């Protein structure tokens, strides 16, 4: 009865004057811990009453007996108490959820305010950057120095008391002084023009006077023609050169004749002083060449045989000089003809390729040395040091023609007699025996074809290749000078290949050796495929944007731009990736290595390398912007904001990105 009264008091504790019972008001005054203890006591009492009812029934008490009915009523009261506690628990749960939801809403409001502030900060930073990067037209004007300005400018313009402390006023004053100086120079220019006109009039008068003398001078020259023909004065230089040419060895003579024929085909020229693009000169000791031409053909063999017999007879007496004799034999075998040819191949920009051709008499081969003369100084680019190197300038002018070994098979047996292992050891002194040099001289060791026909068939093509090689190397030299200063020179003809804004930029361009290239991990597939030779040039380009750093190992073939440069990529951003581990980097390599027709630019394609590097920067922008959108699930501004317009950010199971730029629409798509 006491428990029933307690339960009843829990449910009927509201004063009588309150007509409406509100459990929510009661919930605020109740202690959850006390309700939990009441729940445990009620469950225990209910279990006890159930056990008593079970015991009464087992002892034989009837179902409607007083003891059982009394316990049923007590159980009902306990059930009512449990239902009330259940309602209170649900109300507490709902109240907790409502409080959590309100707290989340407050957090969301604060987070939205934070995002708005971050976007506002980013907008302000962009505006500040625009202001800092703003360049006024007056910055392009070369003003006089401040010291010279304060010394020469009058006080009403310089105003030292104001301009020395205010840079803005100082700039305005210097511009005013520049305007005054230009006005003064304009007046001087007008005066100079007037003086020039007076001088021109005087020159015209004197020219008319001199022109009146021309008929008399022509009569004098006509009268002196018999004397000129008798003395051979106009043809003296030509006769001297022709006399020297008679003593040239046959290969050099064939080369001289074909060079003269090629020059005459290009324009009306003198046989020995060809047109503006090609000139040939003979140099060397003429007297020694004459002595060689008078010597019998078999005298050398007789002398060598007699020397061999004397060496066999005196071997025991002169064993200490065997090494010296062997060295003398090597020098005699590698002896050059006293006369040589110098062919100067000129380009439109004023640069000249000097080709020095020599004939090795005992080996019966031609060699060539090179030298480049330029109209401007090309000492600025460090990575371009090997481009104009005379030892490698003409390597692979034709495919696989390295010029290290002699093309004459008979020389191998001659080398064995004097202990020469390889001709490459003497290339720096004697010159390179390229195969195309032999063909220019009419030398062909595989068959007995006509010399003149062989030389003529290769002269024009070789001269075009030589001029193209020099132009390509000079263009690369200028481009490397810009690349070392992190500037990618893109010509106006190639601007349409790239979007107007490219964020990624070149930060480093350096040259490396073949050994350093082979040690890179992300180029091993190129080495295994046999796409790299030791005669190639190797460079490392670093392209960066934000925290992303793209390494590009570049292989430049000597036959550039005929052979396209090869790029291998490695991206350092959220780990290290390469074309062997990620499909998108392999697609970027394909963009710069495969599509030559898009990147070549105007013929002959000298902008190919810089266009490839610029395409690489564009591909990195697309990769980072689309990759950041896909993978970055964090809230707030992204590291690489979306600036490129893409139809689809990814395609296919490999999630390839749209690297193809479509002009003039200005969007990126998949290939």
């Amino acid at each position: 009865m006491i428990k029933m009264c307690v339960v009843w008091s829990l449910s009927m504790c509201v004063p009588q004057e309150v007509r409406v019972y509100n459990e929510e008001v009661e919930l605020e005054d109740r202690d959850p811990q006390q309700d939990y203890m009441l729940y445990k006591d009620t469950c225990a009492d209910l279990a006890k009453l159930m056990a008593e009812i079970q015991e009464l029934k087992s002892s034989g008490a009837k179902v409607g007996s007083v003891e059982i009915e009394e316990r049923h009523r007590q159980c009902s009261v306990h059930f009512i108490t449990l239902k009330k506690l259940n309602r209170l628990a649900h109300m507490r749960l709902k109240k907790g959820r409502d409080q959590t939801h309100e707290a989340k809403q407050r957090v969301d409001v604060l987070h939205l305010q934070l995002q708005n502030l971050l976007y506002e900060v980013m907008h302000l930073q962009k505006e500040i950057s625009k202001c800092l990067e703003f360049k006024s037209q007056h910055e392009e004007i070369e003003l006089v120095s401040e010291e010279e300005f304060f010394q020469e400018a009058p006080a009403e313009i310089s105003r030292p008391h104001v301009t020395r402390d205010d840079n803005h006023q100082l700039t305005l004053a210097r511009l005013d002084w520049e305007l005054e100086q230009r006005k003064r120079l304009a007046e001087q220019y007008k005066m100079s023009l007037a003086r020039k006109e007076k001088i021109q009039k005087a020159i015209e008068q004197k020219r008319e006077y001199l022109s009146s003398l021309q008929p008399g001078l022509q009569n004098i020259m006509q009268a002196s023609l018999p004397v000129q023909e008798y003395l051979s004065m106009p043809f003296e230089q030509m006769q001297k050169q022709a006399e020297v040419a008679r003593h040239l060895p046959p290969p050099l003579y064939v080369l001289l004749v074909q060079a003269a024929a090629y020059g005459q085909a290009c324009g009306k020229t003198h046989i020995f002083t060809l047109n503006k693009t090609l000139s040939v000169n003979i140099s060397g000791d003429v007297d020694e060449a004459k002595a060689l031409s008078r010597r019998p053909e078999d005298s050398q063999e007789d002398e060598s045989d007699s020397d061999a017999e004397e060496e066999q007879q005196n071997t025991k007496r002169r064993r200490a000089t065997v090494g010296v004799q062997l060295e003398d034999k090597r020098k005699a075998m590698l002896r050059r003809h006293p006369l040589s040819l110098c062919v100067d191949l000129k380009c439109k920009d004023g640069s000249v390729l000097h080709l020095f051709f020599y004939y090795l008499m005992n080996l019966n081969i031609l060699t060539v040395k090179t030298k480049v003369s330029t109209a401007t100084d090309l000492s600025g680019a460090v990575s371009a040091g090997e481009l104009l190197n005379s030892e490698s300038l003409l390597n692979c002018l034709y495919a696989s023609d390295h010029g290290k070994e002699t093309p004459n098979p008979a020389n191998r047996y001659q080398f064995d007699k004097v202990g020469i292992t390889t001709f490459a050891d003497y290339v720096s002194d004697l010159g390179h025996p390229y195969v195309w040099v032999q063909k220019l001289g009419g030398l062909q060791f595989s068959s007995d074809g006509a010399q003149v026909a062989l030389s003529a068939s290769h002269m024009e093509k070789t001269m075009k290749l030589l001029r193209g090689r020099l132009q390509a190397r000079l263009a690369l030299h200028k481009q490397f000078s810009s690349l070392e200063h992190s500037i990618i020179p893109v010509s106006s003809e190639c601007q349409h290949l790239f979007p107007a804004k490219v964020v990624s930029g070149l930060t480093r361009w350096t040259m490396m050796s073949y050994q350093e290239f082979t040690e890179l991990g992300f180029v091993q597939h190129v080495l295994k495929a046999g796409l790299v030779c030791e005669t190639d040039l190797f460079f490392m380009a670093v392209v960066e944007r934000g925290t992303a750093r793209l390494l590009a190992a570049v292989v430049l073939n000597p036959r550039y731009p005929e052979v396209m440069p090869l790029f291998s990529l490695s991206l350092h951003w959220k780990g290290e990736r390469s074309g062997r581990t990620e499909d998108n980097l392999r697609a970027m390599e394909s963009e710069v290595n495969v599509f030559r027709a898009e990147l070549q630019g105007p013929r002959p394609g000298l902008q190919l390398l810089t266009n490839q590097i610029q395409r690489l920067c564009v591909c990195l922008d697309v990769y980072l912007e689309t990759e950041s959108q896909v993978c970055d699930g964090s809230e707030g501004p992204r590291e690489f904001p979306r600036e490129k317009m893409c139809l689809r950010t990814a395609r296919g199971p490999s999630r390839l990105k749209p690297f193809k730029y479509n002009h003039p629409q200005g969007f990126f798509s998949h290939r």
Side-chain angles (χ1 to χ4, degrees), residues 246-452:
R246 292 175 53 191
H247 304 287
L248 286 173
L252 289 181
Y253 186 81
V254 171
L255 179 58
L256 173 68
V257 172
Q258 292 305 316
Y262 176 75
Q264 289 177 349
C266 295
K268 296 180 180 180
T269 61
H270 193 279
I271 188 172
F272 291 101
T273 304
L274 304 181
N275 59 357
K276 294 181 179 180
T277 61
L278 183 66
S279 62
V280 182
N281 294 311
I282 303 175
S283 59
D285 191 344
V286 181
D287 296 334
E288 187 177 354
K290 291 180 179 179
L292 286 175
S293 62
R294 289 193 301 267
R295 183 180 300 175
E297 295 180 356
D298 57 344
S299 61
Q300 184 177 356
E301 296 179 358
D302 295 341
E303 290 179 359
S304 61
D305 293 340
S306 61
D307 291 340
E309 292 176 359
E310 291 178 4
E311 289 173 5
Q312 291 178 358
Q313 294 175 359
N314 302 327
T315 301
K316 296 182 179 180
R317 294 183 298 170
R318 296 185 299 173
R319 288 186 178 180
T321 61
V322 171
V324 177
Q325 292 178 355
L326 191 61
E327 185 65 26
D328 293 337
K329 288 183 179 180
R330 292 174 185 170
K331 292 181 180 180
M333 181 171 291
L334 300 176
R335 184 183 176 189
R336 297 189 300 203
H337 194 274
L339 298 180
S340 62
L341 287 183
C342 176
V343 178
D344 295 338
L345 192 62
K346 301 179 182 179
C347 298
K348 294 181 179 180
D349 58 355
S351 58
V352 183
L353 176 61
H354 306 280
L355 301 172
F356 304 95
F357 294 93
Y358 305 97
Y359 177 67
L360 304 185
M361 297 179 292
N362 294 326
L363 299 182
N364 191 28
I365 59 174
L366 287 175
T367 61
V368 64
K369 285 188 175 183
T370 60
K371 181 182 177 182
V372 177
S373 300
T374 57
T376 58
D377 185 16
L378 299 179
S379 60
V382 178
S383 59
E386 292 295 324
L387 292 179
L388 300 179
N389 187 357
S390 60
E391 295 297 325
S392 59
L393 178 61
L394 303 183
N395 280 352
C396 298
L397 188 67
Y398 290 84
S400 303
D401 190 4
H402 302 289
K404 296 296 184 181
E405 294 295 336
T406 171
N408 189 353
N411 297 153
R412 183 68 269 161
Y413 302 98
Q414 294 175 292
F415 290 165
D416 292 338
K417 293 180 180 180
V418 296
I420 297 178
T421 57
T422 175
F423 188 78
D425 298 335
Y426 304 90
V427 163
S428 58
D429 296 328
L430 302 177
H432 292 265
Y434 296 109
V435 176
W436 58 267
V437 176
Q438 317 307 318
K439 292 181 178 180
L440 290 182
L443 296 175
Q444 188 172 5
F445 305 106
S446 58
S447 61
D448 296 328
Q451 290 183 338
V452 177

Side-chain angles (χ1 to χ4, degrees), residues 169-183:
Q169 294 296 330
L170 176 60
T171 303
L172 293 177
R174 293 173 68 187
L175 290 174
D176 292 338
W177 176 239
E178 183 71 19
L179 179 61
E180 291 293 332
Q181 287 182 317
R182 294 196 177 192
K183 289 180 179 179

